[in-house]
């Protein structure tokens, strides 16, 4: 069952007493084959879970790096269907690494919630994050995903108070994604001191693992967050590697995967330091 | 007959901000608490007589309301059909209807204790209106404007700067209104504590579509009373142009319960509906989610938003306010379109026959008013919202007509 890939991975992480690394890349960025090469290489490079973005023309919550990634993907004709094709190819090689699709409502609505959920499950998708679908608007989508056995993973933010947190986590499964800064992706830097109490709060409200993202760019920062959260999400920094590689004609996949290895090493060793402040 | 009684059309949106299936609050979780807080603050203000009294004072003495109801005698003769009336909202301070909404929202922002104002603008009319109220009430103001629009609406950029606002050109996407709105949303999500976002049209997450409509309803409320006084009866049809649709919903809403009054919205058909280069979301789009609400959108098979085209920067938007989407589906309002060329002809006709240079936006409405007047015949009355004046458009029009300024 699909649910279990996410749960199994977090159980394994807990057994190892380490945080997971979740890497975000955009489907079709910079082209289909390079994106597939990156995707295929992520588990060996140390990604514990994979977030795969599907492009949208108007990504309201993204900073410039992911905006540009979406434009690159759209330019080569990437679609939500094309994104599922990539997942299908990935699953032929990897049966265990959870894949979470991340994007905006309209492409999914346009596909149809029911058909999308069925096709995504068949392709091997484990979870879905829809940035612009708060719980108040998500009943129909939740039902379609429940039937297909896909987790709807919710975002909580610094602006989410306790009363609202209860509403947000109600229909969340898999894990909860804590947005560590008020802002768009990849601009502000997360502050570990303010993230720590928020992680405790979200974990207590949800009884689910908590992943922290939006504003984690370096191995150092990833390690700091790995000491307090169940998983660390890095996206914009990886996507920027793809953009930079395109400028210098460097091999994008190798550069991205090298960055992932460095991040994974930092995350995996974070709690081994002597002076840890573990929660 | 003085006050229309409420009917099935006037009870929306529901508590979740829905007009039938449309509307809602499709925003990122970071913004959701802010949007909910805004909804509560607006509900309180709406029910506070002091808020209305203050707003009404500024409407009278600062905006210059009520705007006149004008019998367009020569255009009536020209078309040879129904009597044509203009609601003269182009005579408002700042030259368009946009100021009505900005007065309401700046008073709300002050009430909420916000200290920084942001806005998006297409043609620049909403940007100018926002910069104006920010100057008047002493707020720092940042206006996001697509770089394409910055280029074609230079006089308005200069006006905003004169008023003390910072205009930030937006280069993402195609650099038009939708991209400016994305960027304003990104600013809001980054500055959650001190910033108030004044959306200029009856779209966005709830409560914006209802709130902007309420603030713009002064147009229809005045026009309805003025028409009763002048003609002793209601018009047979009311006509307004539609980009996001704030002037149209402001005119339509007070007539929703008057079921004998036809409501006609005119979308921008750009180079023609068949060319794909237009901004007619109801005529050429399908339902989807953008900018916080569910509504009709120009989009491709994958749900990617397609760039709109119109000669009028104020109509150059791939969506439409959710209440229009709903009025369209239930059939209470009818939506037609006018091309760039038709709007240009109407622009010149109005200038030459009435001595009024209209904005390109209401020139689209005027392009269909002739058809409606002819269809309804001499005994009928057509009311059109002349929602903006055309000074800002003279460069665009000159270029389209091959003149050099």
């Amino acid at each position: 069952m699909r649910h279990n890939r996410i749960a199994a991975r977090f159980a394994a992480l807990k057994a190892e007493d380490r945080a997971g690394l979740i890497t975000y890349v955009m489907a079709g960025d910079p082209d289909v084959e390079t994106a597939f090469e990156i995707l295929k290489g992520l588990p060996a490079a140390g990604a514990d879970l994979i977030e795969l973005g599907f492009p949208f023309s108007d990504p309201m919550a993204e900073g410039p790096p992911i905006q540009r990634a979406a434009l690159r993907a759209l330019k080569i004709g990437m679609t939500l269907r094309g994104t599922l094709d990539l997942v299908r190819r990935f699953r032929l090689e990897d049966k265990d690494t959870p894949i979470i699709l991340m994007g905006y409502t309209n492409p999914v609505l346009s596909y149809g919630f029911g058909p999308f959920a069925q096709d995504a499950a068949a392709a091997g998708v484990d979870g879905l994050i829809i940035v612009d679908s708060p719980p108040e608007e998500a009943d129909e989508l939740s039902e379609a995903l429940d039937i297909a056995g896909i987790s709807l993973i919710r975002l909580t933010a610094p602006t989410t108070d306790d009363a609202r947190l209860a509403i947000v986590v109600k229909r969340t499964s898999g894990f909860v994604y804590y947005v560590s800064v008020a802002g768009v992706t990849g601009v502000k830097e997360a502050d570990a001191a303010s993230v720590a109490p928020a992680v405790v709060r979200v974990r207590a409200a949800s009884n689910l693992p908590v992943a922290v993202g939006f504003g984690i760019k370096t191995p150092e920062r990833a390690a700091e967050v790995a000491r307090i959260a169940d998983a660390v999400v890095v996206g914009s920094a990886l996507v920027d590697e793809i953009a930079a590689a395109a400028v210098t004609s460097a091999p994008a996949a190798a550069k991205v995967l090298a960055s992932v290895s460095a991040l994974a090493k930092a995350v995996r060793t974070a709690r081994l330091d002597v002076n840890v402040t573990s929660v | 007959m003085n006050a229309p009684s409420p009917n099935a059309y006037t009870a929306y949106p529901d508590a979740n901000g829905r007009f039938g299936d449309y509307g809602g609050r499709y925003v990122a979780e970071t913004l959701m608490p802010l949007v909910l807080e805004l909804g509560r603050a607006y509900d309180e203000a709406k029910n506070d007589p002091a808020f209305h009294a203050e707003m009404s004072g500024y409407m009278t003495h600062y905006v210059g309301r009520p705007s006149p109801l004008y019998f367009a005698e020569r255009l009536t003769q020209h078309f040879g059909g129904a009597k044509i009336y203009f609601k003269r909202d182009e005579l408002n301070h700042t030259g368009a209807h946009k100021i009505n909404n900005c007065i309401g929202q700046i008073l709300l922002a002050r009430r909420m204790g916000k200290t920084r104002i942001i806005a998006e603008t297409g043609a620049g009319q909403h940007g100018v209106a926002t910069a104006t109220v920010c100057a008047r009430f002493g707020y720092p103001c940042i206006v996001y404007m697509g770089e394409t629009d910055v280029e074609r609406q230079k006089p308005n950029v200069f006006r905003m700067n004169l008023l003390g606002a910072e205009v930030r050109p937006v280069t993402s996407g195609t650099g038009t209104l939708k991209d400016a709105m994305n960027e304003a949303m990104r600013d809001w999500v980054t500055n959650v504590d001190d910033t108030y976002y004044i959306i200029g049209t009856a779209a966005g997450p709830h409560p914006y579509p209802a709130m902007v409509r309420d603030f713009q309803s002064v147009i229809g409320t005045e026009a309805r009373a003025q028409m009763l006084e002048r003609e002793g009866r209601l018009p047979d049809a009311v006509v307004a142009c539609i980009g996001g649709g704030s002037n149209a919903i402001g005119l339509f809403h007070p007539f929703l319960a008057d079921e004998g009054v036809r409501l006609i919205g005119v979308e921008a058909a750009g180079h023609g509906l068949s060319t794909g280069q237009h901004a007619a979301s109801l005529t050429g789009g399908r339902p989807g989610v953008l900018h916080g609400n569910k509504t009709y959108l120009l989009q491709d098979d994958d749900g990617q938003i397609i760039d709109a085209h119109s000669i009028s920067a104020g109509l150059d938007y791939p969506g439409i306010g959710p209440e229009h989407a709903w009025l369209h589906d239930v059939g209470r309002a009818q939506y037609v379109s006018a091309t760039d060329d038709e709007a240009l002809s109407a622009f010149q006709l109005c200038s030459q026959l009435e001595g009024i240079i209209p904005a390109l936006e209401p020139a689209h409405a005027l392009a269909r008013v002739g058809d409606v007047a002819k269809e309804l015949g001499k005994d009928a009355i057509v009311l059109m919202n002349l929602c903006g004046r055309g000074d800002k458009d003279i460069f665009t029009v000159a270029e389209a007509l091959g003149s050099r300024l």
Side-chain angles (χ1 to χ4, degrees), chain B residues 39-259:
Chain B
R40 284 189 294 271
Y42 176 57
D43 279 344
E44 277 174 31
K46 196 166 62 175
N47 295 313
D48 180 358
F51 179 78
H52 289 278
E54 190 176 24
M55 191 163 64
S56 159
Y58 287 109
M59 287 293 201
T60 305
H61 303 294
Y62 191 66
V63 176
R65 303 210 71 93
S67 67
L69 181 73
Y70 167 73
F71 173 44
E73 190 175 359
R74 296 195 68 211
L75 276 170
T76 300
Q77 287 167 0
H78 175 81
F79 291 120
K83 287 173 87 168
I84 297 167
Y85 278 90
F86 288 161
K87 179 62 173 163
R88 299 285 304 275
D89 253 51
E90 101 281 13
L91 293 176
N92 293 339
H93 181 40
T94 72
H97 70 290
K98 293 291 186 186
I99 190 86
N100 303 328
N101 167 48
C102 288
I103 292 283
Q105 290 205 51
I106 198 82
L107 292 175
L108 184 60
R110 195 175 64 174
R111 209 181 147 98
M112 293 175 73
K114 301 293 181 183
T115 56
R116 176 178 177 268
I117 303 294
I118 58 170
E120 85 295 338
T121 198
Q125 292 305 96
H126 173 59
V128 168
T130 303
T132 297
V133 298
C134 286
R136 172 60 186 79
F137 290 89
Y139 286 94
C141 176
I142 290 155
V143 179
Y144 291 94
M145 187 171 187
E147 65 172 357
T148 309
D149 291 335
V150 168
E151 193 51 42
R152 62 180 166 174
Q153 301 288 343
K154 279 181 186 155
N156 272 342
V157 174
F158 188 63
R159 276 186 196 106
M160 287 184 268
N161 288 333
L162 278 177
L163 291 161
E166 180 192 342
V167 178
R168 291 191 185 163
V170 176
T171 53
S172 59
T174 47
T176 59
L177 181 53
K178 87 174 170 79
D179 308 296
M181 206 154 170
N182 289 334
E183 214 52 41
M185 290 274 189
R186 290 177 188 130
D187 181 311
W188 196 19
V189 84
T190 308
N191 299 284
V192 293
D193 293 324
D194 60 351
T195 296
Y196 185 100
Y197 177 17
I198 301 188
I199 293 185
T201 193
H206 180 67
Y208 284 103
M211 177 168 70
V212 175
R213 171 199 75 196
D214 292 348
F215 292 145
Q216 292 294 0
S217 288
V218 66
I219 302 169
T221 303
E222 282 177 11
R224 191 175 181 281
Q226 288 167 321
M227 189 63 84
L228 287 173
E229 196 185 315
R230 284 280 281 285
E231 290 280 351
R233 71 179 187 88
L234 295 173
D236 298 279
V238 302
V239 185
C241 64
I242 298 206
S246 73
N247 96 83
I249 202 70
L251 180 65
F252 291 178
H253 198 261
F255 290 100
L256 282 182
D258 300 311
E259 293 190 35

Side-chain angles (χ1 to χ4, degrees), chain B residues 262-383:
Chain B
R262 272 174 67 183
L263 310 175
I264 302 168
V266 184
E267 297 190 293
H271 294 314
L273 295 176
S274 59
T275 66
Q277 291 181 296
H278 60 80
S281 359
L282 282 177
T283 319
R286 63 190 170 88
V289 169
L290 178 69
H291 294 149
N293 63 138
K294 187 173 186 186
T295 188
Y296 278 77
L297 301 170
L298 302 179
Q299 55 182 312
D300 70 12
D301 290 343
D302 188 42
Q304 307 298 335
I305 306 306
I306 295 173
D307 292 314
H309 166 79
S310 170
I311 191 170
S312 147
L315 304 182
D316 205 343
Y317 182 65
I320 184 166
E323 191 164 8
H324 287 296
W326 175 70
L327 290 172
H328 168 268
D329 280 13
V330 298
R332 175 64 187 93
Q334 177 194 347
Y335 295 86
V336 295
S337 64
T339 63
D340 287 354
D341 288 345
E342 290 174 315
L344 276 169
S345 299
F347 180 95
Q348 295 168 79
L349 189 69
C350 187
S351 303
Q352 287 157 14
L353 290 185
E354 295 293 347
I356 298 171
I357 300 175
L360 279 170
E361 290 80 12
H364 284 74
L366 187 59
R368 291 282 80 81
V369 158
D371 308 340
V372 176
K374 284 180 206 164
E375 184 197 326
L376 291 175
K378 278 185 183 299
D379 295 334
I381 299 171
V382 178
L383 165 65

Side-chain angles (χ1 to χ4, degrees), chain A residues 57-59 106 137 159 164, chain B residues 18 25 29-30 186 289 304:
Chain A
S57 52
D58 293 82
N106 205 50
E137 306 296 352
T159 52
R164 182 153 181 83
Chain B
R18 291 275 174 179
R25 302 181 188 95
E29 181 54 33
T30 311
R186 290 177 188 130
V289 169
Q304 307 298 335

Side-chain angles (χ1 to χ4, degrees), chain B residues 25-37:
Chain B
R25 302 181 188 95
Y26 293 88
V27 296
E29 181 54 33
T30 311
L31 277 184
M32 197 62 188
L34 283 77
V35 164
L36 292 169
E37 183 203 356

